[in-house]
C-alpha cells in the first residue's frame, strides 16, 4: 500500500508541475481568507526539528528506563519505533536535500516578488530549496511510523499528514509538486527503513 501511495504522490507531483504557477498565484491573492489563516497557525506542526527532538528524547528516555529497570516487550518496542523514526528522518533528509541541491528550484515568493520561476539545475546554491518540501517529508515519515504502530488508524494518520503538508501550498511557501514529491520521499524512505531494519515492527501490507 505505501509503495502505491508514494507512486501516486510522484505521479500527481509530476502533473502538478503544469499548474504550479497558476495555483500559487491564485492562493497568493487569497492569503487572508480563514482557511489560509488557519494554515499559518498549524503549519509548524510538520516542522522537522521538534519531531526529531521528540523522537530522540523518547528513544533516549526509554533506553535509560530499560538500563535501570530492565526491559519489557512494550519498552523495547517503543524504543525501536522511536529509533525507526529517527533513522527515517536521517535517511529521508539525505535524499531530500540531495534532490534540492541537484535541482535547485526557486520558491514561489521568487516568482511573485521578482518574476523568477523554475529550476536551476546543478547550481549547488542552497537558497534554491523549494523542491521537494521538507515539511511534507517530515510529517509523512511520522505518519508511516504511526501506521505501523496503530494500523487500524492508518487512514487518519495519512489524512492528517496530508492536511499538514498541504498548508505549505496554501501559504505559498511551496508549490504543490514540491509537497507531493516531499510526501513521496517520506513515505518511500520510511517504508524501506521499516521493512529493512525493523521488519518485526512492520505490517505485512506495507
Amino acid at each position: 500500500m505505501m509503495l502505491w501511495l508514494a507512486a501516486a504522490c510522484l505521479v500527481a507531483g509530476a502533473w502538478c508541475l503544469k499548474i504550479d504557477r497558476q495555483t500559487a498565484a491564485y492562493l497568493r491573492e487569497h492569503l487572508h481568507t480563514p482557511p489560509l489563516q488557519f494554515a499559518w497557525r498549524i503549519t509548524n506542526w510538520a516542522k522537522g526539528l521538534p519531531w526529531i527532538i521528540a523522537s530522540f528524547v523518547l528513544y533516549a528516555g526509554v533506553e535509560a528506563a530499560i538500563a535501570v529497570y530492565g526491559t519489557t516487550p512494550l519498552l523495547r518496542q517503543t524504543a525501536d519505533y522511536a529509533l525507526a523514526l529517527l533513522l527515517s528522518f536521517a535517511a529521508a533528509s539525505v535524499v531530500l536535500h540531495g534532490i534540492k541541491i541537484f535541482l535547485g528550484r526557486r520558491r514561489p515568493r521568487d516568482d511573485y516578488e521578482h518574476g523568477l520561476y523554475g529550476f536551476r539545475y546543478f547550481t549547488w546554491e542552497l537558497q534554491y530549496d523549494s523542491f521537494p518540501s521538507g515539511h511534507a517529508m517530515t510529517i509523512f515519515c511520522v505518519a508511516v511510523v504511526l501506521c505501523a504502530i496503530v494500523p487500524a488508524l492508518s487512514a487518519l494518520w495519512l489524512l492528517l499528514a496530508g492536511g499538514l503538508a498541504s498548508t505549505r501550498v496554501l501559504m505559498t511557501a511551496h508549490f504543490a509538486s514540491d509537497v507531493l514529491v516531499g510526501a513521496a520521499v517520506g513515505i518511500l524512505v520510511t517504508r524501506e527503513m521499516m521493512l529493512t531494519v525493523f521488519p518485526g515492527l512492520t505490517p505485512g501490507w506495507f
Side-chain angles (χ1 to χ4, degrees), residues 154-174:
S154 292
L156 175 62
W157 306 137
L158 294 169
L159 284 172
L160 288 173
L164 284 170
S166 70
T167 63
R168 309 305 291 167
V169 182
L170 293 173
M171 295 164 51
T172 65
H174 281 283

Side-chain angles (χ1 to χ4, degrees), residues 5 42 119 130 139 149 179 188 202 205:
L5 180 60
I42 67 171
F119 292 88
S130 190
I139 203 61
I149 297 172
V179 167
L188 277 173
T202 309
W205 52 266

Side-chain angles (χ1 to χ4, degrees), residues 172-191:
T172 65
H174 281 283
F175 294 106
S177 58
D178 301 340
V179 167
L180 286 162
V181 175
V185 171
I187 294 166
L188 277 173
V189 172
T190 307
R191 174 187 183 272

Side-chain angles (χ1 to χ4, degrees), residues 32-173:
H32 301 294
T33 61
L36 299 184
Q37 292 300 307
F38 180 67
W40 276 98
R41 288 196 292 271
I42 67 171
T43 190
N44 282 336
W45 295 359
K47 197 172 180 67
L49 186 59
W51 286 105
I52 292 169
I53 292 172
S55 55
F56 176 79
V57 168
L58 178 61
Y59 175 71
V62 174
E63 287 292 352
I66 289 172
V68 173
Y69 301 109
T71 190
T72 68
L74 178 60
L75 286 175
R76 183 71 269 152
Q77 195 174 60
T78 302
D80 286 347
Y81 278 123
L83 181 58
L85 185 55
L86 277 171
L87 294 177
S88 296
F89 284 149
S93 293
V94 170
V95 173
L96 181 111
H97 289 288
I99 296 172
K100 282 180 182 284
I101 291 171
F102 274 99
L103 297 186
R105 192 181 200 184
R106 297 179 187 274
R107 293 267 182 169
R109 64 174 176 265
D110 292 337
D111 193 11
Y112 59 73
E113 290 179 1
H114 308 292
L116 301 173
Y117 172 76
F119 292 88
R120 292 174 57 86
Y121 305 108
F122 309 114
T123 57
W124 319 108
E125 296 183 42
L126 296 179
Q127 69 265 35
Y128 303 121
D129 63 348
S130 190
F131 184 91
S133 165
H135 280 64
M137 179 214 79
T138 296
I139 203 61
F140 272 93
C141 287
V142 174
V144 172
V145 172
L146 287 174
C147 288
I149 297 172
V150 190
L153 297 179
S154 292
L156 175 62
W157 306 137
L158 294 169
L159 284 172
L160 288 173
L164 284 170
S166 70
T167 63
R168 309 305 291 167
V169 182
L170 293 173
M171 295 164 51
T172 65

